[in-house]
Amino acid sequence: MTERSLILVKPDGYRRGLTGEVLRRIEAKGYTLAALAVTTPTREQLAAHYAEHEGKPFYEPLVEFMSSGPVTAVVIEGEECIKGFRSLAGATDPTAAAPGSIRGDLGRDWGEAVQQNVVHGSDSPESAAREIGIWFPGLSS
């Protein structure tokens, strides 16, 4: 099933110059880049993106980290790209992520700062539609 997903190269990945490598892996997997932008997220944008986590202990550090610098926001398209990208990204904790995955190869062990794990990818078609609307409001679904 052809889908769309939102991918974010987070501030740590952007700062380390990993956007090109992340995009290379996405394209090598066979997914199409449908939209791409480099932007520094606003607090309002991040509040909408992470709304389901508001009030959790990691929420404020996550929003602070994600607003600390530019991110590369990408919409990808492809057959089952949500599931496929999440596999390509690897486990959320870079220390536990398998070698060969983005986080396993490129992530760093930051202890408590697991949110500094290079990339974000939508976890469901519903999340993808909501997230794409936040980052690319003019993109038709």
Side-chain angles (χ1 to χ4, degrees), residues 98-120:
S101 68
I102 292 169
R103 292 173 179 146
D105 291 350
L106 307 175
R108 293 185 172 168
D109 180 5
W110 296 110
E112 295 293 316
V114 173
Q115 69 266 24
Q116 295 187 32
N117 60 7
V118 184
V119 293
H120 161 84

Side-chain angles (χ1 to χ4, degrees), residues 13-138:
Y14 185 88
R15 271 193 287 275
R16 292 176 51 214
L18 299 175
T19 297
E21 176 61 16
V22 171
L23 296 178
R24 184 196 68 75
R25 290 179 184 218
I26 289 168
E27 290 184 314
K29 185 82 174 168
Y31 302 133
T32 301
L33 306 180
L36 186 141
V38 175
T39 184
T40 300
T42 65
R43 183 164 182 86
E44 294 76 23
Q45 194 173 28
L46 293 168
H49 183 90
Y50 292 114
E52 70 273 15
H53 299 304
E54 190 172 4
K56 295 178 181 172
F58 62 85
Y59 177 80
E60 284 301 325
L62 177 60
V63 170
E64 184 176 317
F65 163 66
M66 288 296 294
S67 61
S68 70
V71 302
T72 304
V74 184
V75 175
I76 65 170
E77 294 177 339
E79 295 295 316
E80 296 189 66
C81 68
I82 294 170
K83 179 179 171 183
F85 178 79
R86 291 180 68 79
S87 177
L88 184 64
T92 304
D93 181 348
T95 304
S101 68
I102 292 169
R103 292 173 179 146
D105 291 350
L106 307 175
R108 293 185 172 168
D109 180 5
W110 296 110
E112 295 293 316
V114 173
Q115 69 266 24
Q116 295 187 32
N117 60 7
V118 184
V119 293
H120 161 84
S122 302
D123 64 4
S124 69
E126 297 77 21
S127 291
R130 183 181 65 79
E131 292 172 355
I132 290 168
I134 293 166
W135 295 87
F136 295 94

